[in-house]
Amino acid sequence: TIFMTKLIVANWKMYLTLSQSIALAKRISNFKFLISKLELVVCSSFVGLEKVGKVLNGTHIKLGAQDVWPEPRGAFTGEVGLDDLAELGVEYVLVGHSERRRYQGETDAVVNTKLRAVLAAGMQPILCVGEPKRELGSKNHEFRKAKNYVRNQLRKNLKDIPNSKFMIHNSPIIAYEPIWAIGTGRPATPEDASEMHGWIRKVIVEIYGGRASGQTEARPTRIPILYGGSVNSKNAAGFLNAPHIDGLLIGGASTKAEELKLILSAC
Ligand code: PGA
C-alpha cells in the first residue's frame, strides 16, 4: 500500500449510551499506539460528541461524527449542523453510511450535498460505498455487478466535486463497505476487498484524472480507501496487510475496548 499510516475509524453507531460512550472513550484514551503506524478516529453518537471529545482532548485520537446536516445552522428541526460539529472539534464525518441510505432514505444526491458541505467546512468526509448483496453466479459475474454498482455510486456521490478539493489536505476518504458484510459476521475476504479497492482507485482516477494540475503528485491516487464490514481482532491483520487497503471502518468490534486494542496492535 502507499500509506504507511493506517487509518482506523471506530463507528459506534447507536450501540452505546452516553455514559457507556464516556467510559469506553476513557479506556481508549489510555491505549498506547504509535502515531507513525496509525491514526485513530472515534465516531460517537451526536449526543456523545461533547463529552467523548473532552476525554479524547490532548490524546492523538481524533473525533468523528456519524452524519451531519449539510448546513451550518438554521431551521432544520431535529438535525445537527456543521457549526456544532466544528465547535465540538469534530475532524471527520461519515457520509452516506449504508444504514443512513437504508433507514433514512439518503439518496446519492443527498450524499453528494453532504460531502461538499463537509469539505467546504474543512472537515474530512469519509464516504461510504458498497454493493447491497452478493450476486449469484460466477466470481467474475459477481465482481462485475458489484464493481459497476460501486462505480455508479462514486460517480453520483462525487459529482461536481472539483479536482481542486483533492489538492487541499481535507480530501474525501472512501470506505468500501459491502452491505452484506456489515454486522453479519461474514466479512469479505481480504483478496476480494483488495480487488475492489484497486477498482475504486481506478474509478477515482477515471473521474478526476491521474494528476491534479500543477501538482507533481497524483493526488486522487492518494485518497485512503478503508475496508468495513465485520472486521474484528481475528481478521483485521488480513485486511491491513492486503494491498490497496489503507485502513478499517469498524462497527461492533470498536465498541469493545479489548477488541479494538487488538485491532490496533495489528497495524
Ligand atoms: P460492523 O460495521 O463492523 O459492525 O460490521 C461496520 C460499519 O457499518 O461501519
Side-chain angles (χ1 to χ4, degrees):
T1 47
I2 46 174
F3 294 89
M4 298 306 289
T5 310
K6 298 292 183 185
L7 180 60
I8 307 295
V9 181
N11 175 14
W12 288 353
K13 308 195 181 189
M14 206 183 73
Y15 282 128
L16 306 170
T17 65
L18 174 58
S19 54
Q20 288 169 339
S21 300
I22 297 166
L24 181 58
K26 282 183 180 155
R27 291 194 63 187
I28 294 175
S29 67
N30 289 319
F31 286 177
K32 301 266 179 292
F33 61 86
L34 287 176
I35 53 167
S36 56
K37 287 206 160 165
L38 68 101
E39 170 140 313
L40 177 60
V41 179
V42 168
C43 300
S44 93
S45 70
F46 284 136
V47 171
L49 283 177
E50 182 175 12
K51 287 187 170 162
V52 167
K54 282 214 170 94
V55 173
L56 301 182
N57 200 4
T59 73
H60 291 294
I61 304 165
K62 304 280 165 52
L63 192 61
Q66 298 173 15
D67 184 40
V68 71
W69 186 258
E71 298 280 345
R73 270 169 283 148
F76 303 102
T77 304
E79 293 295 339
V80 175
L82 286 157
D83 277 3
D84 265 338
L85 299 194
E87 208 171 291
L88 291 165
V90 168
E91 292 180 63
Y92 293 82
V93 184
L94 298 182
V95 176
H97 189 281
S98 63
E99 284 150 17
R100 296 212 54 86
R101 295 180 194 255
R102 180 174 174 192
Y103 302 121
Q104 268 66 39
E106 276 191 18
T107 61
D108 288 315
V110 170
V111 171
N112 176 259
T113 304
K114 290 187 174 186
L115 211 49
R116 278 187 280 133
V118 171
L119 283 169
M123 295 173 221
Q124 284 199 266
I126 301 170
L127 169 63
C128 305
V129 295
E131 77 280 8
K133 57 180 200 303
R134 285 200 138 153
E135 298 289 340
L136 295 174
S138 69
K139 188 93 214 169
N140 280 344
H141 170 83
E142 184 184 317
F143 252 122
R144 204 166 48 240
K145 284 245 170 174
K147 282 176 173 172
N148 282 337
Y149 186 92
V150 169
R151 173 159 65 185
N152 241 320
Q153 257 186 336
L154 287 168
R155 281 183 177 159
K156 288 180 184 161
N157 296 170
L158 294 168
K159 191 172 183 296
D160 295 334
I161 294 176
N163 205 347
S164 64
K165 289 289 179 206
F166 291 90
M167 295 199 280
I168 52 179
H169 84 281
N170 68 331
S171 69
I173 293 159
I174 311 286
Y176 170 57
E177 296 206 306
I179 297 172
W180 48 267
I182 296 178
T184 58
R186 290 184 292 112
T189 63
E191 294 72 30
D192 287 355
S194 187
E195 179 166 345
M196 183 61 93
H197 285 213
W199 169 254
I200 289 171
R201 205 170 291 290
K202 260 176 77 173
V203 172
I204 289 170
V205 171
E206 188 182 285
I207 295 172
Y208 288 102
R211 281 168 195 281
S213 58
Q215 298 281 313
T216 49
E217 282 171 303
R219 290 297 170 132
T221 62
R222 293 183 62 230
I223 291 174
I225 305 174
L226 318 179
Y227 169 77
S230 295
V231 172
N232 60 34
S233 62
K234 298 207 167 57
N235 60 33
F239 291 108
L240 291 165
N241 292 325
H244 307 303
I245 299 184
D246 307 310
L248 303 168
L249 177 52
I250 312 161
S254 77
T255 63
K256 300 178 193 94
E258 284 312 310
E259 272 286 289
L260 186 59
K261 197 175 184 178
L262 287 169
I263 293 170
L264 299 187
S265 65
C267 286

